[in-house]
Amino acid sequence: MSPRSAATHAARTVARGAGAPLWQQVHDDLLRRVEAGAFTDAFPGELALVEEYQVSRHTVREALRRLRSAGVVRGERGRTSRLSEPAEIDQPLGTLYSLFSSVTAAGQQQHSVVRTLDLRADGVVAGRLGLEESSPLLYLERLRMASDRPLAVDRVWLPAELARPLLDADFSTTALYQELAARCGVRLTGGSEHIRAVIPTPAERSLLEMPDGVAAFAIERSGFAGERPVEWRHTLVRGDRFAVSAEFSGRTGYQLVANG
């Protein structure tokens, strides 16, 4: 199809005077085309879209802004938009998962840079674990890597009376839950998580080598062994490399299951 015929075809999809604003019509048509597999080589620039849809640059910019907000395309001021790459690691909601296992299941090599492993007191975290404020806690902080690229900053607190043997573990290449079971005889049976989108601090963005304009997930987890809380975890994970998913039906609501 020639550029002229493509522009004519696209212009017919924008109906002036219709109920939906022009930016919405451009947005919806671009989204439909992305979902149909278009723009795999390159995403058109603003001027090309203005010509193709026969609308103003302001209209195109608003459509692109909405696509960027939804994570469909990426782009910065003064740079051409491009399709967002799919998340490399997709984690199902509602499962007791290990980030170690999730990275491995995605076919990527994983390792961690252990930034801190010690015993300390933290009154706030101790309270979350149902302990006295002065209770000693084992604290583990790791920079999690997937295929030699930073993925997440992981911070974990556990009661020292249970987890003290972990001080001798090498967490650069092993999973916390594996070591917790082998060295301490403690196996997590459940818990709860709170996941929210955040803007990383400059220090966190530098540590995770995150491009400008990319947000992150903050994941807070309480882990239980039976009825006892044994883990409090805060993980900051790159939003462009990690996703969460859930399955549901109209009859039963959300059915949260693990992949595979």
Side-chain angles (χ1 to χ4, degrees):
M1 181 181 295
S2 68
R4 180 176 299 276
S5 60
T8 303
H9 170 76
R12 288 200 299 266
T13 68
V14 178
R16 289 170 170 77
L22 295 181
W23 70 260
Q24 182 73 62
Q25 296 180 55
V26 174
H27 169 279
D28 292 349
D29 191 58
L30 286 172
L31 183 60
R32 175 190 61 77
R33 294 166 69 184
V34 168
E35 292 174 344
F39 313 129
T40 54
D41 294 330
F43 195 84
E46 287 184 4
L47 294 179
L49 291 173
V50 166
E51 181 179 354
E52 184 174 357
Y53 284 94
Q54 297 295 291
V55 294
S56 70
R57 195 165 185 175
H58 174 78
T59 295
V60 166
R61 284 178 173 172
E62 181 62 18
L64 292 177
R65 186 183 72 81
R66 302 288 179 132
L67 290 173
R68 284 193 294 269
S69 296
V72 177
V73 300
R74 292 177 55 191
E76 304 168 22
R77 183 178 297 275
R79 299 181 63 181
T80 302
S81 297
R82 60 191 184 278
L83 289 183
S84 296
E85 297 178 359
E88 300 170 15
I89 300 166
D90 192 346
Q91 176 58 50
L93 289 168
T95 61
L96 182 60
Y97 70 90
S98 161
L99 191 58
F100 178 101
S101 300
S102 297
V103 173
T104 303
Q108 300 191 41
Q109 291 186 341
Q110 78 83 41
H111 72 275
S112 298
V113 177
V114 178
R115 291 167 55 83
T116 308
L117 176 59
D118 63 18
L119 297 180
R120 62 180 62 189
D122 187 306
V124 174
V125 175
R128 290 168 174 162
L129 292 172
L131 303 172
E132 295 292 334
E133 291 186 359
S134 60
S135 299
L137 305 172
L138 183 135
Y139 175 68
L140 171 63
E141 180 177 323
R142 293 170 290 174
L143 176 63
R144 313 297 298 273
M145 311 289 288
S147 296
D148 292 322
R149 295 170 57 204
L151 172 66
V153 180
D154 198 31
R155 303 176 177 96
V156 187
W157 295 260
L158 306 102
E161 62 176 307
L162 293 178
R164 191 180 297 269
L166 297 181
L167 288 171
D168 297 324
D170 178 6
F171 285 106
S172 61
T173 57
T174 190
L176 171 63
Y177 293 161
Q178 176 182 321
E179 294 294 334
L180 188 62
R183 295 174 181 264
C184 308
V186 177
R187 296 182 182 276
L188 268 69
T189 57
S192 62
E193 277 192 345
H194 178 70
I195 304 174
R196 58 193 174 91
V198 297
I199 302 299
T201 66
E204 291 169 336
R205 188 175 296 280
S206 176
L207 181 62
L208 290 170
E209 299 177 9
M210 295 178 62
D212 292 339
V214 174
F217 290 113
I219 306 173
E220 295 179 344
R221 172 186 291 190
S222 295
F224 288 77
E227 298 296 321
R228 180 175 181 178
V230 297
E231 174 197 32
W232 172 256
R233 182 188 298 244
H234 181 277
T235 305
L236 184 73
V237 59
R238 287 178 52 152
D240 60 340
R241 302 194 65 200
F242 183 85
V244 292
S245 60
E247 294 186 5
F248 66 94
S249 73
R251 181 176 62 85
T252 60
Y254 276 101
Q255 299 294 307
L256 305 175
V257 298
N259 289 338

